[in-house]
Amino acid sequence: MTVHTLENSTLQLTLNPELARWSLSLRRKNSPTLENVQVSLTYRRGFSRNHLLNRWDDYAISEQGTVESPHGPIRQTSLVIGGDEAEVQCTLTFGLPEEIPLLIWKITIKNQANFPIFIDEIEMLSAGYLHRDRGGLDGQIIFPDIGRQRSDQSRRFRRGSHSIDLAFFSNGWQSWSRSASYHFYDRYQQTRLGFLRTPMVKNSGTPSSGRAGMFASDMYGVLGDEILRQGMLFGFLSQKQHFGSLETWLGGISPALRLWANGDDARLDPGSQIETDWACVQFLHLDTPDPLAPYLEAVAREHLLNPKQMMKSKSPSGWCSWYQFSSEDYIGRLSADDIKENLNAIYAVKEQLPLEVIQIDDGFETQVGDWFSFSQGFQSGLSPLANEIKDKGFTPGLWLAPFIVNPRSKLSAQHPDWLLRNRFGLPVSAGLQWNSFTRALDLTHPDALAYVRKVIDTATNEWGFSYLKLDFLYAAALAGCYRDATQTRAQVLRSGLEAVREAAGEDTFLLGCGCPLGPSIGIVDGMRIGADTTRRWKPSYRGIEFYLKDEVSFPSAFNAVHNALTRADMHQRWWINDPDCLLLRPETHLTISEVQSIATVIALTGGSLLISDHIPDLPPERLQIAERLLPLIGKRPYILDWFDSQTPTRMQLDLVGPMGAWQLIALFNWEDTAKDLSLKKADFYLPEWGDLYAREFWTGRVYLISSDSNSVQGLEFPQISPHGVVLLAVRPQHPYSPQYLGGDLHISQGLEIAEWQTDEGSLICEVERPGNAQGQIEIATPKPVKRASVNGSPIPWTERSPGGNLFNLEFNRNARIEISY
Ligand code: 9PG
């Protein structure tokens, strides 16, 4: 049998054309492997469904050697399957980038017949399934069975000869869709609201199952072995051509997985060809801090985003009208006066709270779709407001939902032909929203697309908004009969977004919301990565949680926070993450512990911060929470148990300042009852040697983590409230020099320090804030403090165990602290 191999320094690919199968392994012992897996194409011709690529008939191999790409040099091999006479010719191209531990491959499909064909599924990989028509098992995913200590769970749930302890990380389709990992015995969590919600949050090409052990995912997913700590990511480097789906079955003796491009039944005309996005496989070790980095960065490069440039992107801060001026059935009740009142209040506190964006949300338009007709409260239109916002030094932001239509709008009455329809000619439902079954624009209709351009052009160039929150974008990617039937849903959405970008110009900040993730990479600046937040922890409608409280992807503070954690690794790689607003007012149904957890997640995941309260009524101690998040940290943290817990509970962010490096550690209690939490050194990436100081931000308590005892040493935090957090700044204890322990001026407990100079027996430390500041800092000194002054005037201090001195400060912008000890 002739086999062909392709290798780089880490991976080995073997192609077996006679069996139409391929294998992939790491060039390291005891690693998972893909063995004899298959690809397949399903297309329709008239009424007959055809399968190709299960056999590689009439193939020709061409080694293309090394080709240049955004991923550096790639070793590439192509197989042309089906000669010139075949109805459909496929080309399979495999590539191994020399510098990145990924396998990438794509399939090109050429229609050589004289009739059109319709593409259903382009299966990039199938393994572990039994097919009668393909002659048995279509390959295997093998996790080695070495040094395995069977967990109790696995013994309980698995009878017989199962040898693995697998889990699966599933990525949701659009902004609001849940991303989470599942143990093999879990059930895939999806909406229970059926047709009311399914069109919104679920890709029509991704399957759903209620069976324990059967999961699906969009664009990418990770299969991993919880005991062995090794895993494999399967996915696509882009979604420019097709949406990509995965499904996996972990209930059998060995795992099964499929990865395919959604053909959407798009027509391929005689003489035309289409090409899939690159599919990819990445091997990973679960106990590294950032295991998906090679994949996530390859996706960025595929869209010509420069990883170094992305690291510098700055997260916006601001105010959004939605979560104050909407009712509990998600309808906006807003007037220009509401905006002005808050604008003035924010202007008045700009010294303590330097926000940038004032964003007008839903409620200014008469109906969604009728963007040029303003509601009662906005009789003078939007440009005077945008001007007023600009005049006060803020960035005017506006909410628009350009691809979705309210059936009660004039637009849907005047242009019924712009609406996407199903094969019975009825408008396709975009889900229940604003108490209506919404409709979608068919963006392959040139006039519909021209209208979208006009809306965006008017909002930016005429009204003057330079920040657009573009919502309900999934509506451009619903299943339906598009006017241009050769387009896939991913192509329709991407070209719609490209048109939006073109109309808005390069300098407008575009925030995607309710948006399928893949097709928008490289176009939007920011992306909502979770469900809407609300005034309540659990989902509800008109304040009633019944039936809704366990809905995933439905608006709720918990659902918003959940995805902010599970999608934290996209931030500053694909875009700036938007975790949705922080609600601060005491009138919500959120406890203070919940507000602290949400603030911690927003601050430490580095994305944008928008507050959404009626600012004139906000008590100062609540406003202060937002003050302490500014300037935004902006950086991406490590989420340490992203694969092991459904909602992650451990987060770490490494920071550096003039006084050295420190770690922020957050521990969460997501349970509905109070719980003891403990910090175990081994659970984080902390300095191994010496004692550590840890200062908790929300309580101000200081702890010492001693290195005396053995490796299980840790700190106990008894009875942390339901949905509460412990947020620690951890630093090594220096016996011979002063040490900053933290304070309550900024949530990072250190980024407020602009200068730190130590000498024999003395310290000069400069604290910097955006404006007026009041709070405390804590400094440990090797010997008792003798004198202390701030900006030249002596100040008192309080000694605290286990070693700090507490200083109360009140200053404008800078405080220069001199201490001798
Ligand atoms: C304006 C809002 C806000 C918000 C957006 C989006 O599924 N739902 O019931 C659901 C309700 C509201 C919603 C999304 C989904 O909100 O995310 O920030 O702009 O539109 O109407």
Side-chain angles (χ1 to χ4, degrees):
M1 230 181 289
T2 43
V3 297
H4 296 261
T5 58
L6 191 64
E7 296 182 338
N8 68 7
S9 54
T10 50
L11 298 170
Q12 185 179 44
L13 170 76
T14 313
L15 303 178
N16 189 330
E18 273 155 52
L19 295 178
R21 289 161 185 266
W22 53 278
S23 303
L24 181 71
S25 57
L26 267 182
R27 303 177 66 175
R28 175 160 28 89
K29 277 225 179 88
N30 295 324
S31 315
T33 52
L34 294 181
E35 233 171 71
N36 287 322
V37 300
Q38 292 194 312
V39 294
S40 161
L41 165 69
T42 313
Y43 68 92
R44 186 169 62 77
R45 177 202 163 176
F47 289 110
S48 77
R49 203 156 282 280
N50 301 281
H51 301 280
L52 264 187
L53 295 177
N54 302 329
R55 297 203 329 252
W56 295 352
D57 293 329
D58 198 2
Y59 73 90
I61 289 201
S62 66
E63 303 255 356
Q64 285 146 325
T66 303
V67 297
E68 276 310 314
S69 82
H71 314 286
I74 295 187
R75 295 180 201 175
Q76 210 163 287
T77 291
S78 283
L79 265 138
V80 179
I81 299 159
D84 294 339
E85 300 305 308
E87 215 171 72
V88 177
Q89 187 184 67
C90 294
T91 306
L92 256 166
T93 305
F94 290 91
L96 285 177
E98 282 178 2
E99 287 139 30
I100 312 157
L102 288 179
L103 167 74
I104 60 174
W105 72 105
K106 66 180 172 190
I107 300 179
T108 312
I109 302 159
K110 192 168 154 196
N111 182 1
Q112 305 190 121
N114 51 12
F115 46 81
I117 61 169
F118 299 84
I119 307 296
D120 179 9
E121 251 184 41
I122 312 166
E123 194 180 76
M124 309 302 290
L125 181 149
S126 175
Y129 293 93
L130 264 174
H131 295 267
R132 236 169 274 139
D133 55 328
R134 296 193 202 170
L137 203 63
D138 57 2
Q140 275 182 285
I141 301 173
I142 300 171
F143 284 86
D145 196 11
I146 43 148
R148 193 180 292 278
Q149 291 177 328
R150 212 57 65 63
S151 68
D152 284 349
Q153 289 287 32
S154 95
R155 247 185 263 126
R156 182 141 44 96
F157 287 91
R158 302 203 153 206
R159 281 150 301 195
S161 60
H162 304 285
S163 61
I164 43 175
D165 296 78
L166 294 178
F168 184 71
F169 178 82
S170 159
N171 178 44
W173 182 52
Q174 58 114 309
S175 302
W176 306 329
S177 320
R178 184 182 181 90
S179 287
S181 52
Y182 298 94
H183 299 286
F184 66 84
Y185 47 82
D186 287 332
R187 269 172 220 282
Y188 186 39
Q189 300 209 359
Q190 283 160 293
T191 176
R192 299 194 300 158
L193 298 176
F195 66 99
L196 305 179
R197 264 193 84 72
T198 304
M200 293 184 163
V201 289
K202 190 190 152 297
N203 174 10
S204 57
T206 302
S208 48
S209 159
R211 215 169 145 190
M214 194 171 269
F215 310 106
S217 186
D218 284 276
M219 188 168 173
Y220 70 94
V222 179
L223 184 62
D225 185 319
E226 291 189 282
I227 305 296
L228 199 62
R229 309 305 292 163
Q230 298 200 58
M232 267 185 258
L233 175 146
F234 302 89
F236 289 91
L237 292 189
S238 58
Q239 308 269 263
K240 294 179 183 178
Q241 310 306 334
H242 303 98
F243 283 113
S245 306
L246 292 89
E247 98 186 330
T248 188
W249 164 236
L250 306 184
I253 289 174
S254 57
L257 185 136
R258 294 198 319 124
L259 170 73
W260 69 97
N262 297 183
D264 297 337
D265 228 18
R267 194 180 72 226
L268 189 63
D269 286 323
S272 303
Q273 63 173 44
I274 54 153
E275 193 169 276
T276 65
D277 298 282
W278 285 110
C280 72
V281 174
Q282 185 212 316
F283 291 89
L284 51 103
H285 201 287
L286 292 168
D287 293 332
T288 50
D290 197 10
L292 303 194
Y295 167 71
L296 297 166
E297 283 169 13
V299 170
R301 280 192 304 268
E302 185 67 16
H303 296 82
L304 307 180
L305 296 171
N306 175 339
K308 288 215 183 83
Q309 215 63 43
M310 292 305 286
M311 290 264 290
K312 289 187 208 142
S313 49
K314 216 181 135 280
S315 300
S317 65
W319 177 85
C320 159
S321 63
W322 180 250
Y323 300 94
Q324 176 75 46
F325 300 101
S326 59
S327 47
E328 292 217 81
D329 57 355
Y330 311 105
I331 304 244
R333 315 223 185 285
L334 186 63
S335 74
D337 289 338
D338 296 327
I339 303 290
K340 287 183 202 165
E341 221 182 311
N342 281 280
L343 168 66
N344 292 331
I346 291 166
Y347 182 78
V349 295
K350 74 176 182 357
E351 276 296 301
Q352 301 107 276
L353 188 76
L355 297 176
E356 298 150 7
V357 180
I358 304 290
Q359 186 240 310
I360 306 172
D361 215 284
D362 191 4
F364 63 89
E365 77 288 1
T366 47
Q367 281 302 352
V368 167
D370 298 336
W371 302 108
F372 303 119
S373 122
F374 302 116
S375 65
Q376 273 295 305
F378 288 84
Q379 284 311 304
S380 338
L382 292 175
S383 41
L385 264 183
N387 284 333
E388 215 172 312
I389 295 170
K390 261 185 277 180
D391 290 345
K392 292 231 149 70
F394 299 100
T395 302
L398 184 66
W399 177 90
L400 290 167
F403 302 160
I404 198 171
V405 181
N406 191 313
R408 284 179 285 211
S409 65
K410 282 189 225 115
L411 182 87
S412 78
Q414 284 164 1
H415 301 285
D417 56 321
W418 293 2
L419 303 181
L420 180 67
R421 287 168 190 272
N422 61 21
R423 63 196 155 104
F424 306 111
L426 299 170
V428 163
S429 163
L432 183 69
Q433 188 64 33
W434 309 296
N435 298 325
S436 312
F437 282 99
T438 53
R439 309 285 182 232
L441 287 182
D442 175 354
L443 297 186
T444 67
H445 192 306
D447 297 342
L449 189 64
Y451 175 70
V452 168
R453 279 181 199 270
K454 185 161 164 244
V455 170
I456 302 295
D457 179 60
T458 309
T460 51
N461 299 320
E462 198 173 304
W463 300 340
F465 292 93
S466 51
Y467 175 108
L468 296 183
K469 172 179 173 185
L470 303 170
D471 207 349
F472 293 87
L473 298 180
Y474 69 86
L478 297 171
C481 297
Y482 286 89
R483 196 177 153 108
D484 178 354
T486 66
Q487 298 280 304
T488 65
R489 294 175 298 124
Q491 286 170 333
V492 176
L493 173 59
R494 188 159 179 96
S495 45
L497 290 168
E498 276 165 353
V500 164
R501 169 55 81 191
E502 217 175 270
E506 276 310 307
D507 297 334
T508 303
F509 188 96
L510 296 182
L511 171 66
C513 186
C515 185
L517 303 185
S520 51
I521 302 170
I523 300 176
V524 298
D525 301 284
M527 180 61 104
R528 240 307 257 295
I529 39 74
D532 284 26
T533 194
T534 59
R535 298 147 224 217
R536 294 168 192 266
W537 190 249
K538 288 284 168 80
S540 69
Y541 183 78
R542 301 200 169 161
I544 297 163
E545 290 183 356
F546 175 73
Y547 196 73
L548 289 177
K549 72 176 171 37
D550 296 320
E551 269 290 303
V552 291
S553 315
F554 201 86
S556 90
F558 172 68
N559 284 343
V561 155
H562 170 97
N563 265 33
L565 292 169
T566 57
R567 285 175 170 169
D569 51 6
M570 295 172 181
H571 177 59
Q572 285 188 330
R573 284 189 168 129
W574 296 359
W575 45 55
I576 292 163
N577 276 8
D578 170 18
D580 205 13
C581 296
L582 174 63
L583 306 194
L584 292 168
R585 57 186 182 275
E587 293 83 10
T588 66
H589 298 273
L590 301 169
T591 65
I592 189 72
S593 301
E594 289 164 347
V595 173
Q596 290 170 350
S597 288
I598 299 166
T600 302
V601 170
I602 292 176
L604 268 66
T605 51
S608 52
L609 167 70
L610 279 94
I611 58 173
S612 195
D613 301 293
H614 187 52
I615 302 300
D617 297 341
L618 201 58
E621 73 277 7
R622 292 297 180 111
L623 195 69
Q624 206 170 54
I625 297 177
E627 287 169 28
R628 292 176 171 179
L629 268 50
L630 294 178
L632 294 180
I633 301 175
K635 282 189 59 176
R636 182 179 59 236
Y638 301 133
I639 307 297
L640 297 166
D641 55 343
W642 66 278
F643 195 73
D644 303 273
S645 309
Q646 260 207 12
T647 302
T649 61
R650 289 186 273 133
M651 165 159 67
Q652 169 167 347
L653 180 61
D654 297 349
L655 295 172
V656 218
M659 67 300 194
W662 74 101
Q663 278 87 33
L664 294 182
I665 298 282
L667 303 167
F668 297 97
N669 170 22
W670 298 129
E671 321 261 302
D672 296 334
T673 50
K675 195 179 141 187
D676 298 345
L677 297 183
S678 61
L679 167 80
K680 296 192 192 67
K681 260 177 94 173
D683 282 347
F684 294 91
Y685 297 91
L686 292 173
E688 279 181 40
W689 306 108
D691 297 349
L692 302 174
Y693 278 125
R695 187 179 185 280
E696 208 285 330
F697 180 72
W698 300 106
T699 57
R701 281 199 202 113
V702 178
Y703 304 85
L704 194 66
I705 311 174
S706 145
S707 61
D708 286 351
S709 36
N710 48 43
S711 63
V712 278
Q713 2 119 347
L715 282 180
E716 299 297 325
F717 301 93
Q719 293 300 297
I720 297 304
S721 321
H723 319 144
V725 63
V726 174
L727 172 55
L728 301 162
V730 180
R731 309 175 145 91
Q733 186 199 32
H734 298 311
Y736 307 115
S737 63
Q739 170 76 65
Y740 190 65
L741 300 186
D744 64 5
L745 288 167
H746 191 257
I747 194 162
S748 66
Q749 300 202 69
L751 290 179
E752 68 281 13
I753 302 297
E755 204 186 309
W756 183 266
Q757 279 181 42
T758 58
D759 211 334
E760 270 305 311
S762 75
L763 164 72
I764 297 176
C765 147
E766 181 138 344
V767 187
E768 220 173 71
R769 292 295 296 147
N772 296 325
Q774 194 185 3
Q776 5 184 268
I777 59 168
E778 194 153 355
I779 295 171
T781 45
K783 286 187 230 150
V785 174
K786 290 191 215 140
R787 268 186 311 278
S789 67
V790 172
N791 295 335
S793 335
I795 47 156
W797 63 91
T798 331
E799 272 180 39
R800 289 217 304 173
S801 84
N805 303 282
L806 201 59
F807 300 90
N808 282 305
L809 308 176
E810 204 176 328
F811 61 98
N812 180 270
R813 290 182 188 278
N814 296 295
R816 195 177 169 80
I817 300 153
E818 294 180 53
I819 296 173
S820 40
Y821 57 87

